[in-house]
Amino acid sequence: PPAAPGALSPFDRQLKRKQKNWAALQPEPAKCDYLREEVGRRRGRPPAGRGRPFPLALDVGSGRGYIAQHLTKETVEKLIQVDIAENALKNAMETEIPTVNVVADEEFLPFKEDTFDLVVSSLSLHWVNDLPRAFREIHQVLKPDGVFIGAMFGGDTLYELRCSLQLAELEREGGFSPHVSPFTAVSDLGHLLSRAGFNTLTVDTDEIQVNYPGLFEVMEDLQGKYIYFLGTSIFCMGESNCSWNRKPLLHRETILAAAAIYQEMYGNSDGSVPATFQIYYMIGWKFHESQARPAQRGSATVSFGDLAKINGLLSRRKK
């Protein structure tokens, strides 16, 4: 059953499923997939130093297969793609590795414990209601010494759009409501992964900036900002806001004011406006006895005070 609105269930998952299904049926879905394909390409790289393929991998929130198209038989022997939207899986892109598609919610993975050697996820987990639970589910289905490689939108994503809409609503309507999904802070991400059981963690951040002709093109590309004064609901990238407390519509005057603010505050010299997407990249391993362990506390033979002497030591070694 769909989760009820509240602090622990900020998103309407049934609405998100409808939005993704609708977007997957558009005549040219690839036209708006450039961001997902770029992040999928980066997440499709195997961990450095592994000289053998992963026998069985899982893509959580796969969509149309943005990671799968960048995998080869040398990296993965078989892939299971899971997504909440059946239309996205039906329209999945071709890949050279054997692939099985499963319709399921990313928060409730229908697999046994210790099943997969690799789990990947790209730009999907920011829409789950219970991110700690999702991380625990991923950790559970991984085999010991299995690895999770993920990417999700970060807290500074679309700050230009959010600021412009908030200022416009404050000016025209005397208050504002959320039009962009809430995102996880990077300071919380490592803690959540650690609590889920992952070790040897790596968390990096990156920014991808895309230039658009104006605010209207930004909103059209993101999908699901309902521009009623144009008489249409625009869907494209699959990033419609599905928060329970989202505002059902934006007034014409408010959007026009936001467009002017966007251009004034963030506009480029050529007349375009930037939209910034912050991406968190994460890698975590499931414990296995064969993994290297940190040295015991107190076993160090060099102190921080010796760091000041390192240049002299290196100079003497070169001589």
Side-chain angles (χ1 to χ4, degrees):
L8 298 180
S9 299
F11 304 122
D12 183 344
R13 294 288 292 172
Q14 292 303 316
L15 176 59
K16 173 50 56 183
R17 178 186 179 187
K18 292 178 181 178
Q19 291 168 345
K20 293 183 71 174
N21 273 325
W22 199 98
L25 292 179
Q26 296 314 292
E28 298 180 272
K31 185 174 70 173
C32 298
D33 284 346
Y34 53 88
L35 186 65
R36 295 182 179 280
E37 289 185 357
E38 172 60 20
V39 176
R41 180 184 65 80
R42 299 181 186 187
R43 291 297 81 185
R45 299 169 183 168
R50 184 181 175 94
R52 63 190 188 281
F54 294 94
L56 184 61
L58 172 67
D59 185 353
V60 178
S62 63
R64 296 176 54 247
Y66 306 103
I67 293 181
Q69 63 175 323
H70 300 292
L71 298 175
T72 66
K73 295 179 180 178
E74 286 70 36
T75 52
V76 170
E77 294 178 357
K78 184 177 181 180
L79 176 69
I80 308 295
Q81 294 187 136
V82 168
D83 199 274
I84 196 173
E86 60 272 16
N87 290 340
L89 294 173
K90 290 177 182 177
N91 290 276
M93 294 172 278
E94 293 185 3
T95 176
E96 68 175 64
I97 59 176
T99 303
V100 176
N101 297 330
V102 177
V103 179
D105 194 316
E106 295 93 329
E107 291 186 84
F108 306 95
L109 299 177
F111 305 105
K112 294 181 179 179
E113 188 175 354
D114 302 339
T115 298
F116 298 96
D117 306 276
L118 167 69
V119 176
V120 295
S121 181
S122 181
L123 302 187
S124 172
L125 293 177
H126 59 284
W127 284 124
V128 302
N129 276 313
D130 191 342
L131 188 58
R133 178 194 173 98
F135 283 154
R136 290 195 300 270
E137 291 262 323
I138 291 171
H139 183 270
Q140 180 173 307
V141 301
L142 272 173
K143 293 180 180 178
D145 201 32
V147 60
F148 167 55
I149 305 176
M152 60 187 294
F153 285 122
D156 288 338
T157 293
L158 297 174
Y159 70 87
E160 304 98 338
L161 175 63
R162 285 186 288 179
C163 183
S164 300
L165 287 172
Q166 289 173 4
L167 290 175
E169 282 191 290
L170 283 171
E171 175 191 333
R172 298 303 174 98
E173 303 179 32
F176 65 86
S177 59
H179 295 284
V180 178
S181 165
F183 297 108
T184 302
V186 68
S187 57
D188 297 329
L189 196 54
H191 179 61
L192 292 175
L193 289 166
S194 180
R195 284 181 55 191
F198 291 101
N199 58 35
T200 319
L201 297 174
T202 301
V203 177
D204 295 319
T205 65
D206 191 13
E207 287 187 354
I208 298 176
Q209 193 172 86
V210 182
N211 292 321
Y212 294 89
L215 176 140
F216 299 109
E217 287 78 12
V218 175
M219 297 172 78
E220 178 180 356
D221 209 29
L222 291 175
Q223 168 193 333
K225 299 302 181 200
Y226 296 90
I227 307 177
Y228 283 98
F229 70 90
L230 293 178
T232 180
S233 300
I234 298 177
F235 296 82
C236 188
M237 193 185 290
E239 287 304 312
S240 311
N241 188 1
C242 67
S243 302
W244 286 104
N245 63 345
R246 66 192 179 277
K247 194 172 182 178
L249 61 86
L250 285 167
H251 297 293
R252 173 190 174 94
E253 295 77 12
T254 301
I255 295 184
L256 292 174
I261 293 171
Y262 205 137
Q263 185 66 52
E264 178 66 25
M265 292 183 63
Y266 305 107
N268 299 316
S269 58
D270 62 358
S272 64
V273 296
T276 300
F277 299 89
Q278 184 182 43
I279 313 295
Y280 297 156
Y281 297 106
M282 64 202 99
I283 300 177
W285 296 79
K286 188 169 182 177
F287 176 76
H288 187 268
E289 291 290 339
S290 64
Q291 294 174 352
R293 300 183 183 182
Q296 291 184 354
R297 186 167 182 167
S299 63
T301 58
V302 179
S303 70
F304 282 112
D306 294 326
L307 293 177
K309 308 173 186 176
I310 193 166
N311 288 333
L313 293 172
L314 290 175
S315 298
R316 288 199 298 271
R317 181 169 294 181
K318 288 181 180 178
K319 292 179 181 178

